[in-house]
Amino acid sequence: MLGEGGTPLQRLEEAVREFQARDERRVDAKGLRSAIDALEGEFAGEVSATQQSGDHLAFGMASAVGWLSRSCGMSENSVSDRLCVGRHLESL
């Protein structure tokens, strides 16, 4: 684990596990959707940066879409959608 308490992503993953293990199943749907959308925005920005950096080439993949699809277990259409969002995040 990097640093005391782990990385921000590790802490988020732990918070998600804690949230999923909660006893009270009902939550504010609007608040939950807002949190999901914020994380989708983070993901879109990250995959866009990955595509721009050419990281996929180091793994022998000609396209970032194919590499991210395989790495993240997503369809290529879903990855393409996130890449498009990532390119337009600042204007959204």
Side-chain angles (χ1 to χ4, degrees):
M1 191 176 292
L2 301 174
E4 190 172 323
T7 67
L9 180 56
Q10 289 169 327
R11 291 191 302 272
L12 175 61
E13 290 169 332
E14 177 58 32
V16 168
R17 285 189 292 275
E18 183 180 326
F19 176 78
Q20 290 174 317
R22 71 196 184 283
D23 291 329
E24 178 57 45
R25 299 312 308 162
R26 300 296 311 263
V27 297
D28 172 48
K30 184 177 177 182
L32 179 59
R33 184 71 251 171
S34 178
I36 292 167
D37 288 346
L39 290 173
E40 284 285 355
E42 289 290 325
F43 181 76
E46 182 59 33
V47 295
S48 180
T50 296
Q51 182 182 42
Q52 291 174 14
S53 72
D55 289 350
H56 57 285
L57 299 172
F59 292 93
M61 298 293 290
S63 81
V65 172
W67 180 62
L68 289 162
S69 172
R70 186 182 317 171
S71 297
C72 299
M74 299 171 66
S75 72
E76 290 189 357
N77 285 340
S78 293
V79 170
S80 293
D81 287 346
R82 283 8 174 257
L83 286 168
C84 183
V85 169
R87 284 191 297 273
H88 300 286
L89 270 178
E90 288 188 25
S91 65
L92 295 176

